[in-house]
Amino acid sequence: MSDKKSKIGVLGAGTMGAGIAQVAAQAGYATLLYDVSQEFIDRGLSRVKDFLKGSRERGKITAEQETAVLGRFSSSLKLEDFAGCELIVEAVPEKIELKREVFQKLDALTGPETLLATNTSSFSVTAIAGATKKPERVLGLHYFNPPPLMALVEVVQGERTSAETIERAAALMRAMGKTPVRAKDTPGFIVNRIARPFYNEALRILGDGDASVEAIDKAMKSAGFRMGPFELMDLIGNDVNFAATESLYHSFFEDPRFRPSPIQHRLVQSGNLGRKTGRGFYDYGKK
């Protein structure tokens, strides 16, 4: 799987999908980016171009490297074009039925040698793989935001994921410069489960009126964290973060440790999702 002649497919050109595609292209792989509309693809590629431009201006990459990375991209509105990919990473919205539908289609369109990975942060890999006839090649590859900068990738083994699939995927992640950590298919995997108290307790402190958003974030950064919990929720997206908390809460049979916050729920309902909408716990201004 470390053969740079391999083609990598990414399904979904949103923040995570575009970032995952950039990781593959920067590592030297021909990369196919798919979405349901050209507008979404163009928006995703624009994010990649802006990121690479910033890297070039900061002296992280050369103009030649920037051009080479962009030259490895292709895009499509047709799932059939994923045929021949070594790996396809799904990064569609966190809706279980949508993911199962996507995997059912990919299963029928690709050969058994193609690895099918979901970037889900909150759903069971086993449940997603259940929509396919070859669940042994389905796994989770949980990247973190932003994918080009975050080294960690959780490599998640479903109930019927083969050992060979996990080995191939982990090798590919290393070839892309990532640090693969193997995880079982349990709610929240490793990182999201550990992170819930970080977010939820901050929201409880805020709800109790004991400290402001700014004070909590400042305290955590002074303690050594790179970002405070509210800054991080805004970066991730309050909709994504809330969905992950809600999923863990239900997966653990309403364990109060994972109870979602009404404060964050109201933000999601009002469309104040964080940086991507210009407002969340902080006001970032409309672009």
Side-chain angles (χ1 to χ4, degrees):
M1 282 295 292
S2 59
D3 182 2
K4 297 300 174 71
K5 294 180 181 179
S6 301
K7 184 168 75 170
I8 307 299
V10 179
L11 198 152
T15 301
M16 289 303 296
I20 293 167
Q22 181 183 328
V23 168
Q26 282 190 285
Y29 295 91
T31 304
L32 174 64
L33 185 62
Y34 164 94
D35 215 310
V36 295
S37 92
Q38 189 62 46
E39 179 186 356
F40 295 159
I41 292 172
D42 291 343
R43 196 180 303 163
L45 289 175
S46 179
R47 290 192 191 97
V48 173
K49 290 174 183 177
D50 287 345
F51 190 104
L52 293 174
K53 179 183 176 183
S55 296
R56 171 174 49 79
E57 291 174 345
R58 291 191 298 274
K60 300 293 185 181
I61 61 173
T62 65
E64 290 76 13
Q65 289 171 322
E66 179 184 16
T67 300
V69 171
L70 292 174
R72 296 186 190 109
F73 273 95
S74 60
S75 63
S76 178
L77 300 173
K78 297 188 290 187
L79 286 174
E80 290 80 5
D81 289 341
F82 279 123
C85 286
E86 291 288 338
L87 167 71
I88 301 170
V89 182
E90 165 272 312
V92 303
E94 287 288 273
K95 299 178 181 179
I96 185 66
E97 290 308 319
L98 175 60
K99 290 179 184 289
R100 283 173 56 86
E101 178 184 348
V102 163
F103 273 79
Q104 186 178 47
K105 291 178 179 178
L106 291 175
D107 189 49
L109 290 170
T110 58
E113 72 285 348
T114 299
L115 299 184
L116 303 180
T118 174
N119 183 55
T120 186
S121 61
S122 57
F123 293 125
S124 164
V125 173
T126 301
I128 294 170
T132 73
K133 295 180 179 179
K134 296 178 280 292
E136 63 277 0
R137 64 177 175 138
V138 178
L139 75 153
L141 287 175
H142 182 211
Y143 294 76
F144 293 84
N145 191 28
L149 298 180
M150 300 295 283
L152 177 66
V153 177
E154 290 178 315
V155 181
V156 185
Q157 185 166 11
E159 290 294 330
R160 296 184 61 185
T161 308
S162 71
E164 179 189 3
T165 290
I166 296 299
E167 291 292 341
R168 288 176 61 197
L172 181 54
M173 293 302 98
R174 286 190 289 269
M176 291 187 185
K178 296 302 181 185
T179 302
V181 173
R182 301 186 188 194
K184 293 184 178 180
D185 186 21
T186 56
F189 313 134
I190 299 171
V191 174
N192 263 339
R193 183 171 172 183
I194 291 173
R196 286 314 105 189
F198 182 66
Y199 304 124
N200 284 356
E201 201 57 38
L203 285 159
R204 289 190 188 98
I205 292 170
L206 178 66
D208 290 343
D210 295 332
S212 68
V213 165
E214 293 80 4
I216 295 167
D217 276 352
K218 182 178 180 180
M220 297 309 294
K221 287 191 289 185
S222 297
F225 288 81
R226 289 184 63 185
M227 298 182 74
F230 297 104
E231 289 176 312
L232 190 51
M233 284 185 276
D234 274 359
L235 176 64
I236 293 167
N238 282 296
D239 53 338
V240 175
N241 190 271
F242 182 82
T245 301
E246 191 173 37
S247 177
L248 260 73
Y249 180 60
H250 293 306
S251 295
F252 283 103
F253 301 98
E254 284 69 57
D255 187 325
R257 290 180 300 165
F258 304 112
R259 183 178 294 123
S261 166
I263 295 173
Q264 192 175 37
H265 189 209
R266 285 195 294 272
L267 283 178
V268 174
Q269 288 179 317
S270 63
N272 295 320
L273 308 182
R275 287 183 178 272
K276 61 187 175 183
T277 60
R279 181 185 290 272
F281 290 103
Y282 294 94
D283 185 354
Y284 301 93
K286 297 290 184 181
K287 292 186 178 181

